[in-house]
Amino acid sequence: MSIERTLSIIKPDATRRNLIGKIIARFEDAGLRIVGQKQLQLTRKQAEKFYFVHAEKSFFNNLCEFIISGSIVVQVLEGENAISLNRKIIGATDPSNAIPGTIRADFAESVEANSVHGSDSPENATNEIAFFFAQIEIIN
Ligand code: CMP
């Protein structure tokens, strides 16, 4: 067991439908603590930078257009095994494959509009947190 930090994004499909509070409750109920949080809207350039690992994928353009289509809430979540715990709570990328009770099974509209993002490895968590947050914005 180790205390980790992970980056969470509540995506535009969820902010549009007023689901921010319901999604945050899932994280807090599972024992994850919010140690950084803000709401913003990405530019196309910022979206392309954040999702650069998917640049060669067929869905890259749609992915970028979707993530800039409205506001997002970015969060640093902290807790024991936060990276894998968060991935478990959010469920499979495609909501049709997500286990009932996970955020994506309960709220996502499609594989693209899938309500939330969660870092998938310690290295990506570190990089993604640094992409959105300055040290001073994270509670120690
Ligand atoms: P996310 O966890 O934010 O990481 C990359 C995103 O790409 C993923 O969530 C999905 O929303 C999106 N994605 C993955 N596969 C597809 C696909 N086949 N079509 C559209 N979007 C996809």
Side-chain angles (χ1 to χ4, degrees), residues 4-7 50 52-53 83 117-131:
E4 292 176 335
R5 287 177 173 174
T6 190
L7 183 88
F50 180 73
F52 77 97
V53 291
I83 297 165
H117 166 85
S119 307
D120 62 2
S121 68
E123 187 189 356
N124 284 342
T126 300
N127 292 338
E128 291 176 359
I129 289 169
F131 182 90

Side-chain angles (χ1 to χ4, degrees), residues 9-21:
I9 304 177
I10 303 177
K11 296 185 180 182
D13 66 289
T15 61
R16 257 195 291 278
R17 287 178 289 149
N18 264 359
L19 293 172
I20 297 171

Side-chain angles (χ1 to χ4, degrees), residues 20-88:
I20 297 171
K22 287 197 173 84
I23 291 173
I24 288 175
R26 301 286 181 104
F27 298 141
E28 291 188 331
D29 289 349
L32 291 169
R33 186 166 291 281
I34 298 166
V35 295
Q37 179 166 264
K38 55 192 170 187
Q39 187 163 12
L40 53 94
Q41 186 159 4
L42 289 174
T43 64
R44 171 80 195 202
K45 223 172 201 165
Q46 290 166 335
E48 286 176 0
K49 195 169 173 199
F50 180 73
Y51 277 129
F52 77 97
V53 291
H54 299 296
E56 302 305 319
K57 307 265 175 65
S58 59
F59 56 81
F60 181 65
N61 185 54
N62 286 347
L63 175 62
C64 292
E65 284 304 306
F66 167 69
I67 204 71
I68 69 171
S69 68
S71 73
I72 59 175
V73 176
V74 290
Q75 304 165 306
V76 181
L77 303 179
E78 184 179 85
E80 274 189 7
N81 298 315
I83 297 165
S84 59
L85 174 58
N86 184 43
R87 299 280 292 182
K88 195 169 157 196

Side-chain angles (χ1 to χ4, degrees), residues 95-108:
S96 63
N97 297 327
I99 295 169
T102 60
I103 292 171
R104 284 168 170 164
D106 293 349
F107 300 124

